[in-house]
Amino acid sequence: MAANSGYIFKGSDEYTSQEGKRRRQHSLFVKVLAVIIILLILLVVGVVVGVVVSKNKSQNSATLSSSTSSSGGKSTTGQATGITNGSNDPSVFEKDPNLHKSFYGMAYTPEGSMMPNCSNSLAIKQTKVEMEVFVGIYVLPDDNESYIRQRDIVKDAIQTYGVDHIAGVTVGNEFMLNYISEKQESDPNSAIGNEGAAMLIAYIEDTRNMLAGLSLPKTMPLGNSDAGSYFNTKLSNVHAWFAQVTAGEAAAWVASFFEDTNVKPASQLPNQASFLQPKMYIAETGWPTKSSDAAHESNGAGIASVTGLQTFLDTFVCQANNNNIPYFFFELFDEKWKDIQYGGVEGWWGLFNAE
């Protein structure tokens, strides 16, 4: 599972336009994920969450499972609900039988993880859960100081905790989309797009050199994530909601878009050796359950609703698991801070209520 940081793929379509509008509003979310130390979740592999939203939306929030992982969407019971038997050992906890291991991975922003009040931690080793994270470095144009600070935090965390629970490293999240949008450019293949790509590649190469200098016991995938039509060498955010399709059409649209716009171009890179071709992931995909105002509760044929989310879950999760598509469902919990700051559907993508 290797990534080629020297290639940035770009494209332009109606989906890109819709995604750009949302991401310009939503950029704070992705900034949060990478400036935080390794112990925060960007993308969690092997999350245990039930797929029946009608039940799970009413569940209280819970921690992540330690049950044995399963493939192809086959469920095994297990969700941590708290320390039991009077033990102070965080690896001893009760499992919620209503929740099952169903997803390849999950994306969310833990409560209390936003700068400058970063106090959150993910105690994977202490709880002994089967979990990995993608460590993220958020890149800002021409802000080398911010990049170096984050890079060094990641380096220190790797040296302190090792890489047993690190699935990979991402450098930049929707950098290309934000860079081009902020320059008021509509063509990602323009000179401005190439300018942004050169910046991003330089940061990725620097991180690659940092990791190589650590002589790690395993080779970790390195790349970055971007909006689907601006995808690069690793992770692609693919949201059917912004394509203005119905919830019933969403799963097929995501699969088709990901294959045609991301996977196929990646397979046609000059590096034809299979071990050199980047492995593509769907970094974000989901469906909003509501809007805080009537003006944003629909986007073309798409309607924000719990029913819509349930439909997308029913049609996407098993399909993706069976087809071995690596994806990270967006997202675990509704997030009040995004609703307060941005309104519309921004805070309402969770499988669980914020509480």
Side-chain angles (χ1 to χ4, degrees):
M1 193 162 76
N4 294 301
S5 61
Y7 295 92
I8 306 296
F9 297 92
K10 298 165 284 183
S12 180
D13 53 21
E14 178 61 24
Y15 166 72
T16 301
S17 175
Q18 289 286 326
E19 181 76 352
K21 292 177 182 177
R22 179 246 184 167
R23 292 300 174 178
R24 283 191 291 273
Q25 292 181 326
H26 195 46
S27 59
L28 179 59
F29 169 66
V30 293
K31 292 177 183 178
V32 169
L33 294 179
V35 293
I36 301 169
I37 195 168
I38 186 176
L39 299 181
L40 291 182
I41 297 176
L42 170 61
L43 301 170
V44 179
V45 179
V47 166
V48 176
V49 181
V51 298
V52 182
V53 176
S54 59
K55 294 181 180 179
N56 289 358
K57 290 291 286 186
S58 63
Q59 293 280 349
N60 289 329
S61 60
T63 57
L64 300 174
S65 171
S66 66
S67 68
T68 303
S69 63
S70 61
S71 62
K74 296 179 181 178
S75 298
T76 52
T77 304
Q79 177 78 10
T81 58
I83 305 301
T84 61
N85 301 322
S87 173
N88 291 322
D89 184 351
S91 68
V92 179
F93 49 77
E94 181 182 353
K95 298 175 182 178
D96 187 336
N98 295 313
L99 303 180
H100 305 277
K101 186 168 292 187
S102 306
F103 295 89
Y104 178 89
M106 190 68 60
Y108 81 104
T109 306
E111 193 75 24
S113 62
M114 297 173 59
M115 290 189 72
N117 301 311
C118 298
S119 60
N120 206 302
S121 65
L122 180 64
I124 297 176
K125 283 192 173 183
Q126 289 87 341
T127 56
K128 300 178 181 178
V129 293
E130 292 187 34
M131 184 186 299
E132 292 180 306
V133 298
F134 274 85
V135 182
I137 298 174
Y138 189 81
V139 177
L140 296 169
D142 301 318
D143 190 349
N144 197 52
E145 181 179 349
S146 173
Y147 163 75
I148 292 174
R149 182 182 68 251
Q150 296 173 71
R151 181 204 62 192
D152 291 348
I153 289 174
V154 169
K155 179 180 179 180
D156 179 69
I158 289 174
Q159 291 175 317
T160 302
Y161 300 103
V163 294
D164 289 347
H165 297 284
I166 300 179
V169 180
T170 65
V171 181
N173 187 54
E174 296 186 341
F175 177 89
M176 292 300 302
L177 173 60
N178 291 331
Y179 186 83
I180 292 170
S181 298
E182 289 169 5
K183 297 285 187 179
Q184 298 183 335
E185 172 61 61
S186 60
D187 181 9
N189 297 299
S190 65
I192 289 177
N194 291 333
E195 177 182 272
M199 291 182 188
L200 181 56
I201 290 171
Y203 285 123
I204 294 173
E205 287 297 333
D206 182 74
T207 300
R208 183 192 298 278
N209 293 334
M210 179 271 288
L211 294 173
L214 296 177
S215 299
L216 300 174
K218 69 177 183 180
T219 300
M220 294 188 296
L222 172 66
N224 75 312
S225 63
D226 223 299
S229 289
Y230 294 81
F231 94 98
N232 42 64
T233 63
K234 190 174 184 182
L235 299 150
S236 174
N237 298 342
V238 185
H239 286 291
W241 169 260
F242 299 106
Q244 302 182 333
V245 300
T246 68
E249 299 168 329
W253 184 90
V254 169
S256 176
F257 183 93
F258 182 61
E259 176 67 22
D260 295 341
T261 312
N262 303 156
V263 176
K264 287 182 179 178
S267 69
Q268 297 168 1
L269 287 171
N271 293 329
Q272 291 300 316
S274 60
F275 68 91
L276 290 176
Q277 291 177 357
K279 179 175 180 177
M280 298 304 300
Y281 300 74
I282 297 177
E284 292 182 11
T285 192
W287 195 267
T289 57
K290 62 181 285 188
S291 172
S292 294
D293 58 81
H296 294 93
E297 66 183 2
S298 64
N299 186 30
I303 306 296
S305 67
V306 172
T307 300
L309 175 56
Q310 184 66 67
T311 297
F312 184 60
L313 285 169
D314 292 343
T315 52
F316 173 78
V317 174
C318 289
Q319 167 191 277
N321 291 342
N322 291 334
N323 292 327
N324 296 316
I325 298 174
Y327 66 92
F328 299 91
F329 205 88
F330 185 83
E331 58 185 328
L332 187 56
F333 297 101
D334 288 337
E335 302 201 46
K336 292 182 177 179
W337 69 270
K338 282 190 279 188
D339 179 50
I340 292 172
Q341 184 146 356
Y342 302 115
V345 299
E346 289 301 313
W348 309 107
W349 291 75
L351 291 171
F352 293 90
N353 295 324
E355 292 79 16

